[in-house]
């Protein structure tokens, strides 16, 4: 037996001390107190791609970004609650309003005669820079509370660009007449009060911005003819809008307006009014009595339940779109809209169930959409719409006219309803003739009966006179026998 020193170190040591039992000397490199460790096994790395320098560089950058983000989050502290955010928004709004007012006063400040124009411009630029820096410091804290540090920088840059452009417009408008201003798609949040001083303005386009209100100073645009405020965040219009006596086109579609001010009725020159895609539940009561020149009215995609009676006085109206509302019917005098050519009442769903009989008085109607309603019968006067060329009656439980007639098209519907109207007129005429004849016969019998009564009364009096003369009675005849 020759024990292996590596596997039996103690036995190998003992046998090395006994010459008779172990001819081989012990291995001098072997130490019983510190046996050698087995050689490490070489294993391939689990992710060989980790050796790629480009990957390692990307991972280092990602780790750095994460560390920087964590540092920013620790600096910002815990997420603010809703009350803090609302307060911050209010403060920011006040700061921006004050900033706009200061810039407005700065731009419109008169230049002293002793100061050169270029020198004055440099002075204004320096003062404007200081005003902006002070405002930025003041609102910096609230910006962090509202949107975070990184978001703040982006918003500030955008607002500064918009403000520069607005200031440029105000400068140009105050120096010379500007008739048209287009500030659409600028992410504009506030319209400066100074716009009311650009008195030569005729067209103002502010669509696709973030405006939440319009200042009352807009009433100063006395000759304004077109105002486009579509696709903003407006919750209401100022009462002063009624002072725009020359306004012809007003577009406030795609906002959050719930009520139109009654003063809007004073815009008597208005030709086109678009209040679609808002939250309206009704229109001003007197809108039709004062907007007599209105030609196009778009009120679709609202929550309007009924149209005011005054709308029937809009004799110039030729286009009315009221689809996707909650209309339960139309005013009885709707037939007064004698110039109406295009009418869309579709998608009022379960609310729209019938149309008034005066509907047939819309003699100039050319296009009519009544789809997606609950109309079971068209008015009997429908056949009088001779100029109607386009008709949509889909998704209605129609009985009159029947489905097979509707499927044949608008001309078949008009013919069916016209024949039905003619039959109704003939039947009414027949009933009138019968009533006349009955009244004639009843009158003859009444006259005959009256004559007989008179004659019988005369005969009775004659007989009574003969039998009972009114002369003196003979006393002899009264004696008893």
């Amino acid at each position: 037996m020759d024990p292996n020193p590596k596997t039996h170190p103690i036995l190998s040591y003992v046998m090395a001390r006994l010459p008779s039992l172990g001819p081989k000397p012990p291995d001098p490199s072997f130490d019983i107190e510190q046996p050698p460790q087995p050689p490490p096994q070489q294993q391939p790395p689990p992710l060989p791609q980790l050796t790629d320098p480009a990957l390692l560089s990307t991972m280092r950058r990602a780790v750095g970004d994460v560390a920087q983000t964590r540092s920013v989050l620790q600096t910002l502290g815990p997420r603010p609650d809703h009350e803090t955010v609302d307060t911050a928004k209010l403060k920011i709004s006040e700061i921006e309003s004050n900033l706009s007012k200061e810039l407005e006063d700065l731009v419109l400040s008169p230049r002293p005669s002793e100061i050169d124009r270029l020198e004055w411009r440099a002075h204004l630029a320096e003062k404007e820079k200081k005003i902006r820096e002070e405002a930025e410091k003041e609102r910096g804290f609230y910006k962090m509370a509202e949107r975070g540090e990184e978001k703040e920088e982006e918003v500030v840059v955008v607002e500064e660009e918009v403000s520069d452009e607005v200031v440029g417009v105000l400068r140009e408008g105050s120096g010379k007449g500007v008739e048209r201003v287009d500030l659409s798609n600028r992410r504009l949040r506030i319209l400066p009060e100074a716009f009311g001083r650009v008195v030569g303005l005729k067209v103002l386009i502010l669509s696709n911005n973030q405006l939440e209100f319009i200042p009352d100073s807009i009433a100063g645009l006395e000759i304004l003819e077109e105002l486009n405020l579509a696709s903003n965040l407006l919750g209401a219009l100022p009462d002063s809008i009624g002072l725009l006596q020359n306004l012809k086109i007003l577009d406030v579609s795609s906002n959050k307006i719930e009520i139109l001010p009654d003063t809007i009725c004073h815009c008597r020159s208005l030709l086109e009014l678009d209040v679609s895609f808002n939250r309206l539940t009704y229109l001003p009561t007197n809108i039709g009595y004062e907007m007599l020149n209105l030609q196009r009215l778009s009120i679709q995609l609202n929550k309007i339940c009924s149209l005011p009676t005054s709308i029937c006085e809009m004799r110039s109206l030729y286009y009315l779109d009221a689809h996707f509302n909650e209309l339960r019917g139309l005013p009885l005098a709707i037939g007064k809209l004698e110039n109406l050519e295009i009418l869309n009442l579709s998608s009022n769903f379960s609310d729209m169930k019938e149309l008034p009989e005066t509907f047939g008085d819309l003699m100039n109607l050319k296009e009519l959409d009544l789809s997606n309603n609950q109309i079971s019968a068209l008015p009997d006067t429908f056949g009088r719409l001779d100029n109607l060329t386009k008709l949509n009656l889909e998704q209605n439980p129609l009985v009159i006219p029947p489905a097979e007639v509707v499927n044949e098209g608008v001309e078949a519907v008009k013919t069916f309803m016209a024949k039905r109207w003619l039959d109704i007129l003939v039947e009414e005429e027949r009933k009138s003739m019968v009533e006349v004849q009955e009244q004639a016969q009843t009158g003859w019998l009444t006259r005959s009966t009256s004559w007989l009564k008179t004659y019988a009364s005369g005969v009775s009096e004659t007989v009574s006179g003969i039998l009972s003369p009114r002369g003196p009675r003979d006393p002899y005849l009264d004696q008893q026998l």
Side-chain angles (χ1 to χ4, degrees), residues 111-117 119:
R111 177 177 63 87
S113 57
E114 65 273 10
I115 300 180
D116 182 67
R117 179 172 297 178
E119 184 180 354

Side-chain angles (χ1 to χ4, degrees), residues 175-357:
K176 59 181 181 179
V178 176
E179 295 187 354
R180 179 184 176 88
V181 171
D182 188 350
L183 290 174
S184 58
N185 300 291
R186 300 297 200 282
R187 297 180 65 181
L188 193 63
R189 298 180 62 186
I190 295 178
L191 183 66
E193 295 275 349
F195 263 98
R197 303 178 189 176
V198 189
V199 294
L201 201 59
K202 291 186 177 180
V203 179
L204 178 57
I205 302 176
L206 299 169
S207 58
N208 295 296
N209 282 292
Q210 300 176 8
L211 297 173
E212 297 183 1
F213 68 94
I214 301 298
D216 287 322
S217 62
I218 198 173
L221 306 179
E222 297 179 352
I223 65 172
L224 189 67
E225 297 181 357
E226 180 179 351
L227 177 59
N228 191 333
L229 300 171
S231 300
N232 277 281
L233 304 175
L234 299 176
L237 295 177
D239 290 334
S240 61
I241 197 169
L243 299 176
L244 301 178
Q245 297 293 318
N246 292 300
L247 192 63
K248 296 180 179 180
I249 301 175
L250 176 59
D251 188 350
V252 293
S253 60
S254 301
N255 279 282
K256 301 178 180 180
I257 300 174
E258 297 182 358
I259 299 176
L260 290 177
D262 291 335
T263 55
I264 198 175
C265 300
H266 300 160
C267 300
R268 296 181 177 89
S269 300
L270 209 59
L271 301 178
E272 299 181 13
L273 176 60
D274 190 346
V275 294
S276 60
F277 215 142
N278 278 282
R279 301 174 182 178
L280 297 174
T281 55
Y282 63 91
L283 298 177
T285 303
N286 296 326
I287 189 172
Y289 293 137
E290 302 190 53
M291 288 187 181
L292 299 178
N293 296 316
L294 195 66
Q295 298 178 0
R296 291 178 61 93
L297 178 58
S298 301
I299 58 175
Q300 67 269 23
L301 292 161
N302 279 284
K303 300 179 181 180
I304 299 175
C305 298
S306 62
L307 298 177
T309 305
S310 64
I311 203 174
C312 302
E313 304 299 326
M314 293 180 175
R315 305 299 175 87
S316 301
L317 194 67
Y318 76 89
Y319 177 93
L320 175 57
D321 191 348
H323 79 272
F324 251 110
N325 275 282
E326 299 175 6
L327 289 177
R328 300 169 184 170
L330 297 176
L332 295 178
I334 193 68
K336 290 184 178 181
L337 300 178
E338 53 190 20
N339 290 315
L340 192 63
E341 297 181 2
I342 301 174
L343 177 59
N344 190 343
L345 299 173
S346 64
S347 301
N348 281 277
F349 303 105
S350 60
D351 299 297
M352 179 70 72
K353 296 181 179 180
E354 60 182 0
L355 302 174
E357 289 296 329

